[in-house]
Amino acid sequence: MTIKNTLKLTAAAAAMAVMAGCASTSALEDVRVTAEAAQVDAAEALGMASQAMNTANQAQRDAQAALQMSQQNREEMNRMFERNMRK
């Protein structure tokens, strides 16, 4: 009977080891899926950040152009005012 009990315990331990291995594989698969999802999210965030940077750069260029035009208009108005004051 002792050999039978030993064999039963060994079979049970082997079954538990196999089940633990499956659980580890399942956990690793969950981690892999989560990592891939995080990678997709990061790529999407990077794309959105790039678009935001492009938009901000365009806004900066527009603001610089508006400032330059404003300065040119001010200079022109000052010249017109000075001409009118001389008359």
Side-chain angles (χ1 to χ4, degrees), residues 7-72:
L7 289 175
K8 286 180 185 178
L9 287 174
T10 303
M16 289 179 69
V18 167
M19 288 174 29
C22 291
S24 295
T25 302
S26 175
L28 286 175
E29 180 64 19
D30 289 345
V31 169
R32 186 187 65 77
V33 168
T34 302
E36 286 177 352
Q39 197 170 23
V40 167
D41 289 345
E44 184 179 336
L46 182 61
M48 291 171 64
S50 179
Q51 286 177 333
M53 181 63 87
N54 290 339
T55 301
N57 286 337
Q58 183 61 46
Q60 180 69 31
R61 286 189 296 271
D62 292 346
Q64 288 294 333
L67 178 61
Q68 185 179 9
M69 186 177 288
S70 172
Q71 289 171 342
Q72 288 172 350

